[in-house]
């Protein structure tokens, strides 16, 4: 007989966008299939193991933090930027990327060496903490997208952003000046949710970590 | 956009009001707790809403938590609003403890104020109820508080609560050769179950702290560790098993788990530490533990243990069967005196009556 903690499916938030297909494929290879019908944002896998919620990537930590979803899959960048604390239960073998400092290959105006570093970024928390840990003062301006435009249009000389292939940077005559952090995709858990449902969650983590087809 | 009455409509972050049905549910819960605490011989205490913040680091040896609101009084002293009742309570009563007849049993139900972002629905709790037992060391003190917490959860008819019990003493023994900074980093990593962030040497020991399970499972698991840990650590391990097993046998309706990643949220914790969880709760609904170290900072050799319950969180998760009962509405719309006498007669029968 199932215990009270095991009577309900685990709740898992998945990010819309670049990771969505990868996660679905990873789960399908381990026997967990599901689909979001008619633009619905909540789905169940037929085995009753998971209730899956499709949420905006940046909002995913909010849902897990408040326990609406007990588990979530997202990148280190999103987790860090949320400022919330989660249990990290597994690293997933896809979607890795790099958080980079980038700037113009040949800047019109060379920034003065003694001036405060000015950076445009979506990742203000990460940028502030990273440079402060390096002992570097930094001025930031928050942008919500197309961050590459900032140096091109002269808003700031530098950007901090995720870089996968670097093709967008190249197209805008920008280059990676420094890789600040490797970003991995993780399975995270609301700590209280994990504590209550640990047996069920541990079984799911073992499934996620299984080699394909085993 | 021009907003009308922004002051009237803005809700303050960091604090909350509890009104109407929520207020009634809250009072129902608090009065249940009061009755239970009273029947166990715990006397109510009320701590002040504000206290001198600078004193804490100096006198109590603990800094006021970062989520505390602070302000400057007219003499230029920094005051903090109450954000943690145990800390305020210890500061308030420490001078009484030198001459007090121990043990002291105290209970409280009070509001707390904690910083929260104005655009975030806070997970914070703004009301705490709890119990503190001062002057009872070891097994008896540990069990009195653990069983009292279990009885609280049982009496509130909460849906399938579990209590996770850990040992800060075990951690302190196993990390006794580390400096304070490394020890605190290790404590945080183990509490967050970030076992990989520890050094290779510490990871061996950390494997022990990954355990969660019932007492029988832990007994089997712990056997293999006996040859790897010091005598003092073994004592802490045996104490933990004893407390969990005894709690299980005394209050069998509450599930008890040994969870070594429960290490207490405060630097002053020592000995047994614990948290309670409920399905659907976004964080623990109660937590506590032994805090002899806090009183030692005040040069008092008084053992202390207690817990606090996140009252609003619990109220929102009470079983649907928790009925507060309806008010009796008087059909008689005659004069006030008649209605009053009729209502009094019904109240004498235990009914709730509105005039």
């Amino acid at each position: 007989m199932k215990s009270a903690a095991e009577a309900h499916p685990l709740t898992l938030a998945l990010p819309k966008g670049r990771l969505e297909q990868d996660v679905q494929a990873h789960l399908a290879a381990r026997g967990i299939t599901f689909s979001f019908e008619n633009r619905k944002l909540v789905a169940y896998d037929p085995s009753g193991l998971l209730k899956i919620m499709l949420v905006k990537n940046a909002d995913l930590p909010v849902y897990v933090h408040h326990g609406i979803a007990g588990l979530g899959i997202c990148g280190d960048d999103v987790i860090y930027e949320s400022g919330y604390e989660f249990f990290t239960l597994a690293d997933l073998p896809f979607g890795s990327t790099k958080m980079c400092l980038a700037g113009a290959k040949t800047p019109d105006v060379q920034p003065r060496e003694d001036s405060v570093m000015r950076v445009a970024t979506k990742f203000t928390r990460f940028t502030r903490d990273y440079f402060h840990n390096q002992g570097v003062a930094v001025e930031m301006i928050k942008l919500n997208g197309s961050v590459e435009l900032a140096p091109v249009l002269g808003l700031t000389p530098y950007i901090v952003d995720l870089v996968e292939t670097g093709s967008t940077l190249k197209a805008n005559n920008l280059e990676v000046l420094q890789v600040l952090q490797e970003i991995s995709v993780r399975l995270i858990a609301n700590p209280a949710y994990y504590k209550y449902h640990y047996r069920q969650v541990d079984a799911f983590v073992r499934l996620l970590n299984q080699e394909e087809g085993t | 956009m021009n907003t009308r009455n922004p002051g009237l409509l803005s809700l303050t972050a960091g604090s909350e009001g509890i009104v109407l049905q929520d207020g009634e549910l809250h009072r129902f819960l608090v009065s249940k707790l009061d009755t239970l605490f009273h029947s166990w011989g715990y006397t109510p205490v009320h701590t002040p809403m504000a206290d001198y913040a600078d004193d804490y680091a100096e006198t109590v040896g603990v800094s006021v938590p970062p989520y505390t609101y602070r302000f400057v009084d007219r003499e230029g002293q920094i005051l903090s609003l109450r954000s943690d009742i145990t800390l305020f309570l210890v500061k308030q009563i420490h001078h009484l403890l030198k001459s007090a007849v121990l043990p002291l049993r105290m209970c409280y139900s009070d509001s707390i104020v904690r910083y929260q972002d104005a655009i975030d629905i806070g997970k914070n709790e703004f009301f705490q109820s709890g119990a503190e037992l001062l002057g009872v060391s070891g097994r008896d003190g540990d069990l009195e508080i653990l069983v009292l917490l279990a009885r609280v959860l049982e009496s509130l008819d909460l849906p399938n609560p579990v209590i996770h019990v850990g040992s800060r003493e075990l951690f302190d023994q196993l990390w006794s050769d580390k400096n304070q900074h490394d020890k605190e980093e290790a404590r945080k990593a183990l509490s967050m179950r970030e076992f990989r962030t520890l050094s290779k040497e510490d990871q061996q020991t950390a494997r022990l702290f990954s355990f969660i399970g019932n007492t029988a499972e832990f007994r089997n698991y712990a056997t293999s560790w006996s040859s790897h840990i010091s005598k003092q650590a073994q004592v802490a391990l045996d104490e933990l098993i004893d407390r969990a097993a005894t709690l299980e046998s005394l209050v069998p309706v509450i599930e008890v788990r040994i969870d070594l990643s429960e290490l207490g949220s405060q630097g002053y914790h020592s000995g047994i530490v614990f948290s309670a969880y409920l399905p659907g709760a976004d964080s623990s609904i109660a937590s506590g533990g032994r805090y002899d170290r806090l009183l030692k900072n005040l040069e008092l050799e008084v053992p202390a243990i207690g817990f606090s319950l996140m009252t609003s969180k619990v109220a929102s998760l009470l079983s649907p069967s928790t009925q507060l009962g309806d008010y009796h509405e008087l059909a008689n719309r005659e004069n006030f005196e008649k209605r009053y006498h009729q209502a009094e007669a019904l109240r004498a029968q235990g009914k709730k009556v509105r005039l």
Side-chain angles (χ1 to χ4, degrees):
Chain A
M1 202 175 85
K2 285 182 176 180
S3 72
E6 294 167 322
H8 299 287
L10 295 172
T11 49
L12 173 69
L14 293 189
K16 284 180 187 171
R18 74 179 179 102
L19 292 178
E20 188 183 335
Q21 302 302 322
D22 288 337
V23 176
Q24 284 219 12
H26 188 81
L27 290 173
R30 283 146 191 86
I32 304 171
T33 55
F34 57 90
S35 59
F36 294 95
E37 290 169 11
N38 303 326
R39 299 172 66 85
K40 284 184 180 166
L41 298 172
V42 177
Y44 293 83
D45 89 291
S47 72
L49 175 66
L50 296 174
K51 176 184 179 185
I52 303 137
M53 307 159 196
L54 198 58
V55 302
K56 191 174 159 63
N57 193 23
D59 295 337
L60 191 144
V62 178
Y63 285 98
V64 180
H65 174 68
H66 287 284
I68 305 303
L71 307 170
I73 291 177
C74 61
D76 291 325
D77 52 322
V78 176
I79 300 168
Y80 193 87
E81 213 54 33
S82 75
Y84 299 134
E85 289 193 316
F86 303 106
F87 288 171
T88 304
L89 303 178
D91 296 347
L92 297 171
F94 52 80
S96 60
T97 178
K98 293 179 174 69
M99 186 72 81
C100 297
L101 176 72
K105 275 183 186 165
T106 47
D108 293 340
V109 182
Q110 197 69 36
R112 277 184 20 230
E113 276 186 13
D114 60 350
S115 63
V116 172
M117 188 166 195
R118 302 186 73 211
V119 177
T121 184
K122 264 195 287 192
F123 305 100
T124 50
R125 187 183 172 88
F126 173 87
T127 303
R128 180 198 62 202
D129 291 354
Y130 180 88
F131 286 106
H132 284 186
N133 283 337
Q134 306 294 317
V136 177
V138 61
E139 274 185 352
M140 291 175 293
I141 184 154
K142 176 152 180 140
L143 294 177
N144 292 308
S146 302
V147 180
E148 298 83 2
L149 274 175
V152 173
L153 300 180
L155 183 63
T156 60
Y158 303 111
I159 60 170
V160 167
D161 205 9
L162 294 176
V163 177
E164 282 180 73
T165 62
S167 55
T168 312
L169 291 181
K170 207 171 173 184
N172 287 288
N173 201 30
L174 303 175
E175 64 181 353
V176 171
L177 302 173
Q178 193 185 341
V179 175
L180 307 181
Q181 191 183 311
E182 301 287 338
I183 301 293
S184 296
V185 175
R186 321 264 187 194
L187 173 71
I188 57 170
N190 173 297
Y193 185 88
Y194 174 80
K195 293 265 177 146
Y196 196 85
H197 301 276
Y198 76 97
R199 281 186 207 278
Q200 220 180 336
V201 175
D202 284 350
F204 177 59
V205 171
R206 282 193 294 276
L207 185 69
L208 270 187
N209 287 334
Q210 264 177 19
E211 291 297 319
E212 234 173 273
T214 57
Chain B
M1 192 191 312
N2 290 326
T3 51
R4 293 174 62 195
N5 293 327
L8 195 60
L9 295 175
S10 296
L11 300 173
T12 48
S15 176
E16 69 178 357
I18 308 170
V19 297
L20 301 173
Q21 284 96 338
D22 286 343
E24 192 173 11
L25 192 60
H26 175 81
R27 290 301 291 264
F28 163 80
L29 205 152
V30 169
S31 92
K32 258 203 146 175
L33 293 173
D34 281 347
T35 306
L36 184 65
F37 290 150
H38 184 64
S39 72
W40 279 58
Y42 283 70
T43 50
V45 289
H46 289 280
T47 53
M49 195 63 215
D51 200 359
Y52 291 106
D54 288 346
D55 278 4
Y56 281 84
E58 267 178 48
T59 57
V60 189
V62 176
S63 298
V64 171
Y67 46 69
T68 306
Y69 282 100
R70 288 160 231 231
F71 55 98
V72 180
D73 74 3
R74 292 181 181 198
E75 278 77 45
Q77 298 248 48
I78 297 174
L79 288 165
S80 65
L81 291 181
R82 182 175 59 215
S83 62
D84 179 293
I85 291 180
T86 304
L87 210 51
F88 265 53
L89 180 60
V90 166
K91 166 87 185 310
Q92 288 298 312
I93 63 163
H94 79 275
H95 62 282
L96 302 174
L97 288 175
K98 283 174 186 152
S99 55
V101 179
L102 297 173
L104 275 180
R105 291 177 170 83
M106 294 171 288
C107 61
Y108 55 80
S109 285
D110 251 326
S111 55
I112 53 171
V113 185
R114 289 182 176 181
Y115 172 78
Q116 102 183 15
D117 197 313
I119 57 162
D120 191 6
I121 299 171
K123 260 175 82 159
N124 283 341
E125 175 67 38
F126 302 114
F127 205 94
Q128 282 185 343
S129 297
E132 309 291 344
L133 172 60
L134 274 64
V136 183
S137 60
R139 188 172 196 268
D140 285 3
D142 292 351
L143 285 172
E144 178 166 335
I145 283 295
L146 280 168
V147 173
L148 179 57
L149 172 62
R151 290 285 296 117
V152 163
L153 302 177
E154 188 190 7
S155 70
L156 294 174
D157 194 23
L158 292 165
N160 306 307
V162 296
I163 298 178
H164 284 221
V165 191
S167 169
R168 181 66 166 265
E169 176 65 17
L170 178 64
F171 169 80
D172 286 341
Q173 289 298 338
L174 293 176
W175 264 266
S176 59
D177 58 338
K178 297 286 192 300
N179 65 43
Q180 202 50 40
H181 174 266
D182 289 353
K183 210 168 151 181
E184 184 54 17
E185 290 299 304
R187 187 190 68 78
K188 280 184 194 160
L190 293 176
S191 296
M192 291 308 294
R193 305 184 69 79
E194 293 279 356
F195 305 114
R196 291 176 308 177
T197 60
L198 295 163
S199 68
K200 267 196 178 161
E201 175 201 351
D202 287 345
Q203 276 187 25
Q204 279 287 91
T205 319
R207 284 199 298 124
L208 176 63
F209 285 80
S210 66
F211 181 89
I212 304 179
N214 63 34
T215 315
E217 290 167 335
F218 188 68
R219 273 187 219 276
N220 289 335
Y221 183 78
T223 310
S224 60
W225 283 89
S226 299
S227 54
H228 301 289
I229 59 177
S230 68
K231 265 189 181 166
Q232 293 97 321
Q234 185 63 48
V235 169
L237 207 59
D238 292 342
E239 281 179 359
L240 174 62
I241 294 171
D242 168 65
R243 308 303 188 259
T246 311
L247 178 60
E248 266 174 0
S249 70
L250 292 174
V251 195
V253 291
I254 303 290
E255 186 178 344
V256 179
R257 298 165 175 172
I258 292 182
D259 174 357
L260 295 181
S261 65
E262 288 290 341
L263 290 169
S265 55
Q266 306 291 342
Y268 54 70
H269 275 128
S270 54
I272 292 293
V273 283
F274 48 86
S275 296
Y277 299 94
L278 277 185
D282 55 11
S283 59
S284 65
I285 53 148
S287 61
R290 191 160 273 292
Y291 55 93
D292 302 356
R293 203 173 287 154
L294 181 59
L295 291 155
K296 258 192 190 145
N297 292 342
L298 293 160
E299 296 171 0
L300 288 165
E301 289 293 331
V302 178
I305 184 167
F307 69 84
S308 61
L309 184 80
M310 317 307 160
T311 320
S312 312
K313 215 172 273 281
V314 169
S316 67
L317 293 161
L318 283 175
S319 300
S321 62
T322 305
Q323 295 296 329
L324 298 177
D326 292 330
Y327 282 92
H328 190 94
E329 300 288 347
L330 294 176
N332 174 5
R333 300 308 304 166
E334 293 180 41
N335 69 35
F336 183 86
E337 289 86 339
K338 276 191 177 172
R339 280 185 283 132
Y340 168 72
H341 289 302
Q342 195 182 349
E344 283 297 281
L346 289 166
R347 284 175 190 138
Q349 296 167 27
K351 291 189 172 149
K352 299 192 289 182
V353 188
R354 285 191 174 123
L355 283 170

